[in-house]
Amino acid sequence: MGRRRLVLGLGGTVDYELRWDSAVLGRLARAHGIRRHEVTSTSPIVDERSLIVSILAFVASGTGAERFVSDSAVIERFSAHFAYDVTLGGTGVRAGLALAGLGIPSTQHLVSIDDTVRRLLPDAVSYVCSADADTRDPHLIVQYPAGAQVQLVDADIVSPASNRLIFANDPPNREMAISPALSAELTDAGGFLVSGFNTMQDHALLERRLGELQAAMRTLPADALLYYEDAGFYTREFSETVRARLLPRIDVYGMNEDELQEYVGRSVRLLDADEVADALREVHALIPVPALVVHTRYWAVAVGPQAARHRKALDSAVSVAATRYRLGDGITADDVAATTGLPRHEGGGELVRAVEGSLPEAAGVAAFHLDVLAPTTVGLGDTFVGGFLAGHVEPMRATGRRS
């Protein structure tokens, strides 16, 4: 990829990152009279009560997810009960923030903008934006720790693991307008990250946006790396539409363990080599890209004819993501270097060796074994993507922002 610029898209967000407080959530649950048998992750989120029910369901299972909320006002009302931090999100933006910390500039394609975005983007991140006016539709980020205990009216809920949840109603990201300036930005790009179609809900509009993206990509150099991150579709069938249009050009197709399990339609024990190998084989048959990358808390594995060439990028990716997990925002190259000296996950290493032995076109690395009192679980997949791209480029001197 040399010293050519990375272009990252397709949409960014303003995030409200809640500071977890079991007592506040429990008080709200009891005030709404929520009982254990009502707790489900499948009901529509239309008000504060149904939002709390959904959060409790995921906490009880220790899983992560991204869900649609009927109205952004629900997020505003719920967030007001908690302390929270205002940050920038979206796969491309968080990947770009990680890259900036490593001394690697990028250009973002945004679909919404406001003064918060302008203020929080570092100088190493330039941008083009398809919006013609300022808007804000915040995404609610809930990251909960292992062992979190929430008291309901009739029972307690205890989380078996730490994870993160995302709740949003974001019209600009649902519409995903493509900036006319994207084509020029791609002309000399060494890598292009595509993500964000997962939030769209209008199939005809999705088809139109994919056509516009393909038109813009005509200027993308043939040797540029195209990384596509799945990110969990609100409407799973839409992922088939995206693959039908973009699969011939995708070099690396990434997803996390939740998305892997959605594709295979069953739970997968992430440290069981046979189950993981079967799932990887099944998903790669569905998504036959040069390298299918699955990243989890224990390991990251690429499958496909080009998997082996990405081993260095996988190692960079897990190192950068682990650094965010233990330190949060603002990580630097020195922080990542310190992480690389920490122990790897023993079970993850054993699984990688077993999967590489059973799948002829597999290459993987173990994640790190980290014991962190207050880990950062939000944005780890996005940071993984940034670390992966960093593994393909050399640090470049940051340039100024353009709009």
Side-chain angles (χ1 to χ4, degrees):
M1 209 182 287
R3 290 181 176 271
R4 286 150 54 190
R5 178 170 287 271
L6 295 169
V7 180
L8 313 175
L10 292 165
T13 66
V14 172
D15 292 347
Y16 289 177
E17 291 188 31
L18 246 62
R19 298 180 191 173
W20 178 261
D21 191 322
S22 294
V24 173
L25 188 61
R27 175 175 56 78
L28 291 171
R30 295 190 299 276
H32 284 287
I34 297 171
R35 297 181 178 276
R36 185 64 181 85
H37 73 274
E38 297 180 84
V39 174
T40 175
S41 62
T42 58
S43 297
I45 302 172
V46 298
D47 53 21
E48 184 176 81
R49 189 181 197 277
S50 53
L51 173 59
I52 295 168
V53 165
S54 182
I55 292 172
L56 292 171
F58 289 114
V59 170
S61 63
T63 54
E66 185 166 347
R67 289 293 183 267
F68 176 73
V69 179
S70 65
D71 191 332
S72 288
V74 174
I75 291 173
E76 295 281 6
R77 285 195 297 270
F78 177 76
S79 300
H81 297 290
F82 296 81
Y84 62 89
D85 299 311
V86 180
T87 63
L88 299 184
T91 297
V93 172
R94 287 200 186 277
L97 294 175
L99 287 162
L102 302 177
I104 302 172
S106 62
T107 298
Q108 295 287 333
H109 177 282
L110 303 175
V111 296
S112 59
I113 191 77
D114 75 345
D115 285 341
T116 300
V117 177
R118 297 184 185 96
R119 175 173 55 85
L120 294 180
L121 278 180
D123 289 340
V125 179
S126 62
Y127 64 85
V128 297
C129 184
S130 60
D132 55 12
D134 283 18
T135 58
R136 177 188 287 197
D137 295 280
H139 289 217
L140 172 65
I141 312 295
V142 179
Q143 48 185 340
Y144 58 86
Q149 184 171 353
V150 182
Q151 185 179 5
L152 308 187
V153 172
D154 61 343
D156 286 356
I157 283 178
V158 180
S159 62
S162 62
N163 219 311
R164 69 94 182 96
L165 307 168
I166 302 174
F167 300 93
N169 183 330
D170 189 337
N173 275 282
R174 282 205 307 279
E175 294 166 9
M176 200 56 68
I178 306 298
S179 170
L182 178 60
S183 179
E185 295 294 338
L186 293 176
T187 301
D188 61 351
F192 182 31
L193 167 64
V194 177
S195 190
F197 286 125
N198 60 303
T199 64
M200 295 191 69
Q201 297 180 355
D202 182 321
H203 190 264
L205 184 58
L206 172 63
E207 290 273 18
R208 195 168 113 208
R209 297 305 188 217
L210 286 166
E212 293 167 357
L213 178 64
Q214 287 178 300
M217 285 170 50
R218 291 185 188 127
T219 62
L220 184 68
D223 64 343
L225 180 78
L226 181 63
Y227 188 115
Y228 180 86
E229 182 72 6
D230 186 277
F233 275 74
Y234 287 9
T235 305
R236 176 50 61 186
E237 294 78 14
F238 283 16
S239 67
E240 300 174 15
T241 303
V242 175
R243 293 199 305 275
R245 289 289 197 100
L246 299 184
L247 208 60
R249 183 58 183 86
I250 293 173
D251 298 298
V252 179
Y253 192 113
M255 65 179 68
N256 65 20
E257 66 260 38
D258 297 323
E259 291 135 23
L260 172 73
Q261 292 171 110
E262 280 191 47
Y263 274 114
V264 300
R266 62 181 183 274
S267 62
V268 177
R269 289 180 292 178
L270 298 177
L271 293 176
D272 185 303
D274 291 335
E275 288 192 18
V276 170
D278 287 344
L280 290 172
R281 191 182 293 110
E282 190 175 326
V283 175
H284 190 238
L286 177 68
I287 308 173
V289 286
L292 174 76
V293 170
V294 179
H295 45 92
T296 79
R297 70 189 71 184
Y298 305 120
W299 47 263
V301 172
V303 181
Q306 295 296 316
R309 73 176 284 245
H310 298 297
R311 191 183 299 275
K312 174 187 173 186
L314 288 173
D315 198 55
S316 171
V318 299
S319 299
V320 176
T323 305
R324 176 172 176 79
Y325 179 85
R326 68 186 189 87
L327 298 178
D329 290 326
I331 61 175
T332 67
D334 288 342
D335 294 329
V336 176
T339 296
T340 60
L342 299 175
R344 300 282 179 143
H345 193 281
E346 185 175 333
E350 292 174 357
L351 181 130
V352 167
R353 290 188 290 273
V355 169
E356 288 179 338
S358 62
L359 297 179
E361 294 182 335
V365 297
F368 288 85
H369 181 73
L370 301 174
D371 185 10
V372 179
L373 183 61
T376 298
T377 55
V378 63
L380 295 182
D382 307 334
T383 304
F384 176 94
V385 174
F388 187 97
L389 295 172
H392 280 283
V393 300
E394 301 173 29
M396 298 176 286
R397 180 173 57 84
T399 58
R401 178 183 302 131
R402 46 182 190 277
S403 58

